[in-house]
DNA sequence: CCATAGCCGTTACCGCCAGTAACAGTTAAG
DNA sequence: CTTAACTGTTACTGGCGGTAACGGCTATGG
């Protein structure tokens, strides 16, 4: 993390001159992320730091007070995008409906979200955090949430839950790749991609569940899901 | 494409002084790609051009005689990797066996391939060609082959084939994401990931086929596949 | 037989862009 | 009234992708 001066003080007597900025820093950082999002929307996922700074009405060194390097800034944008997507996706999924319907609504919510900020989405697809920290980039964040939901559900049902992680990662990759293809080629309407993607995902889930000996209808009640979700998706 | 001097001559009277190099150039280019692969294997997917040149025992300008820019070089490496993967994958898939078995063998062949050159694989996952040419990077190459196979199969069966492309892209994304997760975390044995990935893919295919009104057993004979594959995968 | 066309390869440079140094001003806490 | 944190600037460094400009080798063409 980019650290401002006061972090050098090692937790000794709390000095008001330091703490009075705590709130400010957060909001400022958010503003900068916002500016970065605007810049990326406008100039594509490969904008230079200079352009982002300009969009924020600020010079580079200011930016570097809040983000250690470009990677960290991009990671923050990625998380912003991931939250954007997950907020809608979860809202669509955590409803009372058949699994098929929930998948369909989730997929549509997802496609709608990435359609609004295609460039940010591309960033999310491409960015890899250097220092292997999961949760650092948006993609990993989404995968972690999926893994958690899947894992909890499987454990709840008393079946082998080890597949949760690979499946979560795979699902994310599936969605990202389909989304990227759709956005960059625009050769198919949103509802059409949605239909195909929904079918694919649903059948993968359905068949896998069946193989584990669980009738899919056991999942029609979404009761257990919210708890396992909140701690990760919500912004800190 | 990177072009050497003789390309400036616009196809006029064939001069032996030009054509005598034709064979040489190809082999040389291949050597350089090989060197790049070695360099990437050794130093990760973010090697500098200088290191690649060094590995090839050559200075940068030489490299740039064969590749217009870093992107083109990386694209060539990506294609190399894609071919490496597809050769094995197709060999495993185009056999007489149940669909499930073929998927399983394909998945295992795939995992084996990426295990041998993890860094090249990472490059393949990450690299995006700038100038939107499909087939330029390895990922797109694989997706195109999948799309072709799926599309031909669906058309052969007389059902809606429009899903071939999104499904192909999605499948590739699914595989790449799972592979990347597995390689970078190494928290699961190859056979285990293979099992989970196989189940997921198989059920997606099976369920989707069923939804289209096709019994999956109709696909157990792999007769039609080879033709649609060769023109794309084979190296020119 | 020598000019020519293409290759071989080098060193030394340019230009871009991420990241930094150094400096000056402001505001509120101690 | 000092001090700690912010505000912000301009102008630099350093790495790396890419290029210019040079000289030498070998086989084809007339």
């Amino acid at each position: 993390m980019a650290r401002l001066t006061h972090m050098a003080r090692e937790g000794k007597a709390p000095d008001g001159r330091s703490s009075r900025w705590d709130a400010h820093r957060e909001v400022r950082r958010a503003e900068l992320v916002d500016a970065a999002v605007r810049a990326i929307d406008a100039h594509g996922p490969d904008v230079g730091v200079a352009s982002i700074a300009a969009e924020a009405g600020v010079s580079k060194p200011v930016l570097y007070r809040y983000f250690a390097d470009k990677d960290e800034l991009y990671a923050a944008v990625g998380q912003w995008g991931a939250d954007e997507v997950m907020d809608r996706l979860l809202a669509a999924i955590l409803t009372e409906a058949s699994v098929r319907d929930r998948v369909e609504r989730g997929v549509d919510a997802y496609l709608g979200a990435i359609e609004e900020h295609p460039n940010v989405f591309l960033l999310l697809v491409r960015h890899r955090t250097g220092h292997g920290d999961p949760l650092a980039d948006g993609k990993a964040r989404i995968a972690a949430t999926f893994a958690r939901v899947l894992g909890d559900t499987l454990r709840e049902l008393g079946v082998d839950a080890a597949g949760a992680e690979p499946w979560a990662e795979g699902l994310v990759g599936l969605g990202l790749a389909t989304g990227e293809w759709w956005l960059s080629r625009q050769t198919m309407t949103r509802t059409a991609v949605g239909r195909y993607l929904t079918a694919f995902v649903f059948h993968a889930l359905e068949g896998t569940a069946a193989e584990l000996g669980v009738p899919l209808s056991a999942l029609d009640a979404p009761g257990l899901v919210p708890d396992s979700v909140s701690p990760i998706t919500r912004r800190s």
Side-chain angles (χ1 to χ4, degrees), chain A residues 6-141:
Chain A
H6 88 294
M7 282 307 266
R9 313 179 65 259
E10 44 232 32
K12 314 202 79 175
D15 188 330
R17 283 173 298 186
S18 166
S19 52
R20 82 163 158 129
W21 296 102
D22 291 354
H24 175 63
R25 260 186 272 108
E26 240 176 89
V27 30
R28 196 81 204 286
R29 190 174 154 117
E31 283 172 14
L32 293 176
V33 170
D34 250 46
V37 169
R38 283 196 306 275
I40 290 170
D41 273 342
H43 306 108
D46 295 323
V47 230
V49 174
S51 308
I52 296 180
E55 175 71 42
V58 148
S59 63
K60 278 196 293 169
V62 175
L63 217 51
Y64 280 99
R65 293 222 179 86
Y66 294 88
F67 303 93
D69 52 14
K70 193 184 178 179
D71 241 50
E72 195 176 303
L73 171 55
Y74 274 39
V77 173
Q79 291 182 20
W80 177 91
D83 287 342
E84 195 77 4
V85 166
M86 289 308 280
D87 281 353
R88 309 205 195 181
L89 187 55
L90 290 174
I93 281 184
L94 304 180
T95 55
E96 292 277 352
S98 71
V99 171
R100 173 96 196 202
D101 280 353
R102 280 154 65 201
V103 170
E104 182 168 348
R105 286 176 205 171
V107 164
D108 191 63
Y110 164 67
L111 293 177
I114 71 176
E115 194 175 22
E116 277 179 30
H117 294 278
N119 284 329
V120 173
F121 168 75
L122 287 181
L123 180 73
L124 200 148
V125 174
R126 293 171 195 181
H127 184 73
R128 285 313 175 292
T129 164
H131 56 323
D133 172 18
L135 300 196
D137 67 335
K139 193 183 147 188
R141 212 178 166 87

